[in-house]
Amino acid sequence: MLQYQTIPVTPFQQNCSLIWDDQTRQAAVIDPGGDLDLILAAVAQHALKLEQIWLTHAHIDHAGGTAVLARNLNLPIVGPHPGDQFWIDRLSDQGRMFQFPDAEVFTPTRWLQDGDTVELGGHTLNVRHCPGHTPGHVVFYSPEIKRAFVGDVLFAGSIGRTDFPQGDHDTLIASITQRLWPMGDDTVFIPGHGPESTFGRERRTNPYVDGT
């Protein structure tokens, strides 16, 4: 069975997640934005075999530690969608803008498209392209455990910002209503910041989605 742990990292308290198979201990890390020592301490605590890096999008608080972690542990970088290439290219600029440590540019081992899947320890997760916050944002969904790792698309009581370059509010709302809601009201989502919630709760109460 899949298990996961959320580890807030960076000054933005971004929800980096470790996800693993509880039998094989094979693991992936989702959005290692920084504080790699905290991430690796959790890997050691659970005796995991970290094998992959999965990225929802390429903002620095989600992707800033990717290049170093991939190089040090020889890990493949999976995602995001090619629409975020320009954000990867601008990682150093992002670091200066938000006073983060300088982040290295990287090239994903595998870009992701809508409808793709990723594999971990015999488990399959579905990939949905959910642009709006960034043009190349993707979401990882496990039907098996009814969990979705949604990055900065949706939050408990809020939605992702759309005022960054190539963000678009209408596109984001369409991603939420057309790509996330069909995963089911009882699906728990792990956002890029803040507490977990369910799609059903947000569909009913999130003021930014307005009951759609």
Side-chain angles (χ1 to χ4, degrees), residues 9-117:
V9 298
T10 83
F12 289 178
Q13 290 293 280
Q14 187 273 126
N15 286 334
C16 171
S17 291
L18 284 172
I19 181 169
W20 68 90
D21 174 71
D22 62 0
Q23 297 299 313
T24 68
R25 315 308 289 176
Q26 292 170 282
V29 59
I30 303 173
D31 291 352
D35 294 331
L36 298 182
D37 55 334
L38 296 180
I39 299 169
L40 294 175
V43 169
Q45 176 187 354
H46 295 292
L48 304 180
K49 294 178 282 190
L50 189 57
E51 296 183 344
Q52 303 177 59
I53 297 169
W54 298 347
L55 296 180
T56 63
H57 65 295
H59 281 163
I60 191 165
D61 55 323
H62 292 255
T66 299
V68 171
L69 186 62
R71 183 175 64 251
N72 288 351
L73 299 183
N74 194 29
L75 301 177
I77 302 167
V78 180
H81 178 281
D84 267 20
Q85 176 70 68
F86 82 104
W87 279 118
I88 295 174
D89 294 340
R90 295 175 57 179
L91 276 170
S92 291
D93 294 338
Q94 293 185 61
R96 287 190 291 272
M97 180 182 301
F98 295 109
Q99 299 182 325
F100 273 54
D102 191 34
E104 298 178 26
V105 172
F106 57 86
T107 300
T109 311
R110 174 191 171 197
W111 293 104
L112 293 173
Q113 304 286 343
D114 187 60
D116 282 351
T117 59

Side-chain angles (χ1 to χ4, degrees), residues 10 19 72 113 118 143 145 153 184 194 202 209:
T10 83
I19 181 169
N72 288 351
Q113 304 286 343
V118 291
I145 60 171
V153 174
E202 298 310 308
V209 187

